[in-house]
Amino acid sequence: MAQLLDGAGYVAVEEPGQASVLIVNTCGFIGPAREESIQHLRELAQAKKRGQILVAAGCLAQIWGQQLIAEVSGLDGIIGTRRWMDIVEFVEKVRGRKKPEPMYHLPGDATVVGSDERGVMRVAVQGASAYLKIADGCRRPCAFCSIPRIKGVAVSRPPEAIIAEARELAARGVREIILIAQDTTDYGHDLGRQDALPNLLESICNAAPELKWLRVMYAYPGAVNDRLIEVMATRPQIVHYLDLPLQHGHPDALKRMRRPANVGWVYRALEKIRAAMPDIAIRTTFIVGYPGETEAEFETLCQFVRDLQFDRVGAFTYSVEPGTPSAELPDQLPEQVKRERYERLMALQQPISLSKNQSLVGQTLDVLVEGQGEGLTIGRTFRDAPEIDGLMMIEGHAPVGEFVRARVTGAMEYDLTGIVSHLWR
Ligand code: SF4
């Protein structure tokens, strides 16, 4: 939206008071995000000056359009997630309207392709790393998740558009590209293509040889196949990192979640992945306290975590999302039980994470430098995705956005310490 507005002659300003158009890109995924979005809209609505318009965009606007109007007086327009690429025309319409009633733009069809027709890059750059979106929406049936309702079914972007953007980002000096979608391993399914993700990864490596790291997030259990493993193992630019949200380790809980319940697949797949890439860092996430989760199911999850020795584990207490099938399930658990299981799971994982990190001490790794402070350089190894995983604190100074070779000298549960071993590459 920012790119389109910029192209139409709008100029971004720092202070809301200086703006003619105020746009809040809302989040509707979980309760706290919804509250924050509404709070922010209310604050802007109250401070709104004559001639300014206030528009709510994004997920919350998509699923809650009518209610938002009722919750926030002073809203002028609502534009959802499906046609965000119409933002310029929509803003013009709202500004030119004759009546004070708010206007809506909430078509139901998923039209991610529209952004490619308009030449908008689907990229968010943060320092030397860039998130590149390869698809939008999701066709999976997970019972706890409101994303398919918010985003619609998965629509993949054409590979040519993604490859061109990756090439441009690398030419601009971006060192790490992170491919994202609600489910990256489903990429290309709607285009009728087999193995579209591994093919895309290969094409990006070929098109952008100067790119150092290519990372894939959000794989779906059962969808990490031999071809993907082979491409990840043989292309040096693709980092040996797999983010595979598993959500639970007990088949019955997984069935209630409407997730793949073949736990045996996970054991076999991880063995195969680790054999092909012995240095791979595997990240997963779990939901604890899902409706009907018995103590025995939770214990099975704990054993699953002990058995599989994940490098990184994220856990969430189950949050009821209105409108999802899970919200209607019987045996919703008390918050106290959810919290207690969360603490137990995290306590179980901590020594595993620590020993994984300790096994790196003495190794020399490439580190992407992201910041500096108090005589230290702060960066990440390939084992850490930005913002969700750990960091490495290195003695001495190194330029931000560059790679440095550093020897690991110490390990904590989440972070590493190190010392520069070679100069810049
Ligand atoms: S795969 Fe992810 S985004 Fe899709 S429905 Fe399941 S949890 Fe939601």
Side-chain angles (χ1 to χ4, degrees):
M1 289 192 289
Q3 285 173 54
L4 287 164
L5 289 161
D6 188 53
Y10 285 86
V11 178
V13 291
E14 291 286 329
E15 291 299 323
Q18 303 169 319
S20 318
V21 181
L22 302 156
I23 301 170
V24 178
N25 199 28
T26 61
C27 178
F29 186 38
I30 51 170
R34 283 195 291 274
E35 280 155 29
E36 194 180 325
S37 298
I38 290 171
Q39 183 58 25
H40 202 62
L41 281 166
R42 282 193 183 134
E43 280 166 20
L44 288 174
Q46 273 160 16
K48 209 172 74 168
K49 294 194 216 141
R50 215 182 159 76
Q52 286 186 315
I53 63 158
L54 175 60
V55 172
C59 300
L60 189 60
Q62 181 71 41
I63 46 168
W64 257 39
Q66 290 286 351
Q67 284 125 297
L68 262 190
I69 297 282
E71 294 260 347
V72 184
S73 65
L75 261 183
D76 299 291
I78 301 263
I79 180 167
T81 48
R82 314 287 170 89
R83 291 295 309 178
W84 55 265
M85 63 291 288
D86 296 338
I87 187 71
V88 173
E89 295 84 341
F90 184 63
V91 161
E92 300 292 338
K93 247 164 109 179
V94 175
R95 293 181 85 186
R97 78 196 197 280
K98 300 276 180 278
K99 293 182 187 161
E101 282 80 42
M103 298 183 83
Y104 295 86
H105 190 50
L106 297 167
D109 52 332
T111 47
V112 68
V113 181
S115 66
D116 290 313
E117 285 159 4
R118 293 176 188 223
V120 182
M121 285 182 82
R122 302 295 307 277
V123 167
V125 180
Q126 275 176 20
S129 302
Y131 293 90
L132 176 49
K133 193 153 224 188
I134 62 172
D136 218 351
C138 186
R139 71 185 172 106
R140 307 292 189 191
C142 311
F144 51 81
C145 181
S146 48
I147 284 181
R149 202 159 57 96
I150 296 171
K151 292 277 190 175
V153 294
V155 180
S156 300
R157 299 184 58 205
E160 307 76 45
I162 301 166
I163 295 161
E165 283 174 15
R167 193 186 297 123
E168 189 178 329
L169 288 166
R172 276 199 225 159
V174 164
R175 314 302 303 273
E176 174 186 34
I177 291 179
I178 303 156
L179 301 187
I180 52 167
Q182 272 74 31
D183 171 5
T184 49
T185 43
D186 199 36
Y187 175 72
H189 179 270
D190 55 309
L191 304 174
R193 299 188 186 196
Q194 283 263 316
D195 286 331
L197 179 64
N199 293 344
L200 180 70
L201 289 167
E202 284 198 317
S203 301
I204 293 175
C205 292
N206 293 338
E210 68 275 46
L211 182 71
K212 173 101 168 133
W213 282 351
L214 180 56
R215 188 183 299 276
V216 189
M217 302 300 287
Y218 321 131
Y220 194 74
V224 180
N225 63 18
D226 290 354
R227 170 95 174 106
L228 179 60
I229 297 170
E230 181 214 318
V231 170
M232 286 181 71
T234 53
R235 291 292 188 141
Q237 289 162 281
I238 305 173
V239 292
H240 290 177
Y241 177 96
L242 185 68
D243 174 38
L244 183 65
L246 293 165
Q247 313 301 4
H248 213 281
H250 192 291
D252 294 346
L254 286 163
K255 278 181 201 147
R256 288 197 303 282
M257 289 178 173
R258 304 189 190 171
R259 296 271 303 177
N262 184 351
V263 175
W265 177 89
V266 182
Y267 281 84
R268 288 192 298 279
L270 260 56
E271 206 179 311
K272 205 186 270 185
I273 292 164
R274 284 174 166 150
M277 294 171 273
D279 61 345
I280 195 158
I282 299 177
R283 176 184 184 79
T284 192
T285 44
F286 296 112
I287 296 173
V288 293
Y290 190 73
E293 185 190 61
T294 60
E295 181 60 28
E297 285 179 359
F298 178 70
E299 258 311 315
T300 304
L301 168 62
C302 292
Q303 191 54 46
F304 182 71
V305 168
R306 277 184 215 108
D307 289 347
L308 289 171
Q309 299 279 303
F310 300 101
D311 297 80
R312 322 246 179 267
V313 169
F316 300 90
T317 54
Y318 169 69
S319 140
V320 184
E321 291 312 310
T324 60
S326 304
E328 308 301 322
L329 284 176
D331 305 322
Q332 301 278 335
L333 298 187
E335 284 306 315
Q336 195 196 338
V337 174
K338 296 182 197 175
R339 180 94 328 242
E340 185 252 335
R341 288 184 183 168
Y342 169 86
E343 305 288 351
R344 275 163 67 195
L345 185 64
M346 293 318 277
L348 163 64
Q349 176 62 26
Q350 270 186 2
I352 301 173
S353 298
L354 179 61
S355 92
K356 293 269 178 183
N357 274 353
Q358 281 169 338
S359 71
L360 300 172
V361 174
Q363 288 189 27
T364 299
L365 300 169
D366 287 340
V367 178
L368 178 56
V369 177
E370 294 193 313
Q372 277 149 357
E374 307 201 352
L376 284 178
T377 290
I378 297 159
R380 268 185 301 118
T381 72
F382 72 93
R383 298 173 57 82
D384 300 298
E387 296 188 351
I388 49 173
D389 294 320
L391 294 168
M392 184 159 171
M393 269 71 74
I394 310 166
E395 283 174 41
H397 278 283
V400 172
E402 294 294 333
F403 277 95
V404 65
R405 296 280 290 164
R407 188 162 53 79
V408 182
T409 53
M412 293 158 276
E413 277 96 348
Y414 303 111
D415 301 320
L416 298 170
T417 55
I419 188 160
V420 173
S421 87
H422 295 353
L423 288 179
W424 329 123
R425 294 143 52 99

